[in-house]
C-alpha cells in the first residue's frame, strides 16, 4: 500500500510542471507575434524584408510631380429647379492635367467637355450644390465626365490622357 500512496503523491507534482510547460508553449508564440507586429508597425521590419524601401521610392520620383492647368470657359446654365422661377449657376473652373503635353488634346476636346458639363449641370438641383459636400460631389462628377471626354479624343495615344481634378474658381447659384 505504501507504493500506492507514493504514486499518488508524485502525480500532482507532474501536473504542476505540465501546466507551466503548457503556459510557456502558449505564451511563447503570442510573445513572438507581438514582437513581430511591433516591428512591422514600427516600420523596422518592412525595409529589412525589402518591402517599401524609401530609397527606391526616391529614385522613381526625382522631383515634384509636374501637372498642367487648363482654363475652362465660363459656364452659365439653368439648374433643375421646381417651380416657375429659374435658377442659374455660373461656373468658372480649371482642369488639372496629369501631363503638361496633354493640354493640346484636351483643348481640342473642349466642345465635348462643355457639352458634358452643361448637360450634367442642367440636371442638378440647387439644393445638391449647397455646402462643401455638394461641391465635392460636383467636383467628382465633373472629373469623371472630363476623363470620358478626353479619353474619346485621345484614342490613338499610347498613354491615357487623364484629368486629375477640377478646380473651382467661382461657383455662383442664383
Amino acid at each position: 500500500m505504501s507504493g500506492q500512496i507514493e504514486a499518488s503523491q508524485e502525480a500532482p507534482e507532474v501536473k504542476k510542471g505540465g501546466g507551466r510547460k503548457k503556459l510557456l508553449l502558449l505564451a511563447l508564440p503570442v510573445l513572438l507575434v507581438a514582437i513581430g507586429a511591433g516591428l512591422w508597425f514600427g516600420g523596422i521590419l518592412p525595409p529589412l524584408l525589402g518591402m517599401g524601401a524609401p530609397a527606391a521610392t526616391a529614385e522613381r520620383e526625382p522631383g515634384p510631380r509636374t501637372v498642367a492647368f487648363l482654363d475652362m470657359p465660363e459656364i452659365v446654365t439653368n439648374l433643375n429647379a421646381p417651380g416657375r422661377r429659374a435658377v442659374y449657376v455660373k461656373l468658372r473652373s480649371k482642369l488639372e492635367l496629369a501631363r503638361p503635353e496633354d493640354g493640346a488634346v484636351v483643348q481640342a476636346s473642349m466642345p465635348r467637355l462643355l457639352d458634358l458639363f452643361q448637360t450634367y449641370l442642367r440636371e442638378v438641383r440647387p439644393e445638391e450644390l449647397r455646402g462643401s459636400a455638394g461641391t465635392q460631389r460636383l467636383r467628382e462628377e465633373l472629373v469623371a465626365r472630363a476623363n470620358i471626354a478626353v479619353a474619346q479624343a485621345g484614342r490613338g495615344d499610347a498613354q491615357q490622357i487623364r484629368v486629375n481634378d477640377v478646380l473651382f474658381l467661382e461657383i455662383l447659384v442664383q
Side-chain angles (χ1 to χ4, degrees):
M1 269 209 160
S2 64
Q4 290 178 349
I5 294 173
E6 290 176 19
S8 66
Q9 288 177 354
E10 290 180 17
E13 290 177 18
V14 173
K15 287 184 180 178
K16 282 186 180 179
R20 289 181 185 161
K21 286 182 183 177
K22 285 182 183 178
L23 181 63
L24 184 61
L25 288 175
L26 290 175
L28 187 61
V30 171
L31 183 65
L32 289 175
V33 168
I35 291 171
L39 290 173
W40 178 267
F41 291 113
I44 297 170
L45 196 57
L48 292 175
L49 297 176
M51 303 166 82
T57 307
E59 290 175 8
R60 278 186 256 144
E61 295 180 19
R65 183 176 77 162
T66 58
V67 295
F69 297 99
L70 182 68
D71 286 327
M72 290 284 296
E74 184 177 285
I75 297 173
V76 178
T77 189
N78 60 323
L79 297 175
N80 185 9
R84 300 181 107 178
R85 185 171 170 254
V87 178
Y88 293 93
V89 64
K90 177 181 175 182
L91 177 68
R92 284 186 349 153
S93 61
K94 287 185 181 242
L95 299 178
E96 179 183 315
L97 306 177
R99 297 179 302 167
E101 56 269 11
D102 293 341
V105 176
V106 175
Q107 188 66 39
S109 65
M110 193 59 69
R112 180 174 282 117
L113 269 168
L114 289 172
D115 177 60
L116 288 172
F117 281 19
Q118 284 188 352
T119 304
Y120 173 72
L121 287 170
R122 289 182 53 110
E123 291 300 319
V124 173
R125 293 186 302 273
E127 57 270 9
E128 292 175 0
L129 295 177
R130 290 197 180 109
S132 61
T135 304
Q136 185 60 32
R137 279 192 301 272
L138 177 64
R139 179 186 323 275
E140 290 168 358
E141 290 292 331
L142 293 181
V143 167
R145 282 163 173 70
N147 280 318
I148 290 170
V150 298
Q152 292 175 355
R155 286 186 182 155
D157 194 7
Q159 286 186 325
Q160 180 72 21
I161 298 172
R162 200 167 75 91
V163 175
N164 290 339
D165 202 0
V166 175
L167 307 172
F168 297 125
L169 302 176
E170 180 181 15
I171 301 175
L172 179 64
V173 178
Q174 288 186 323

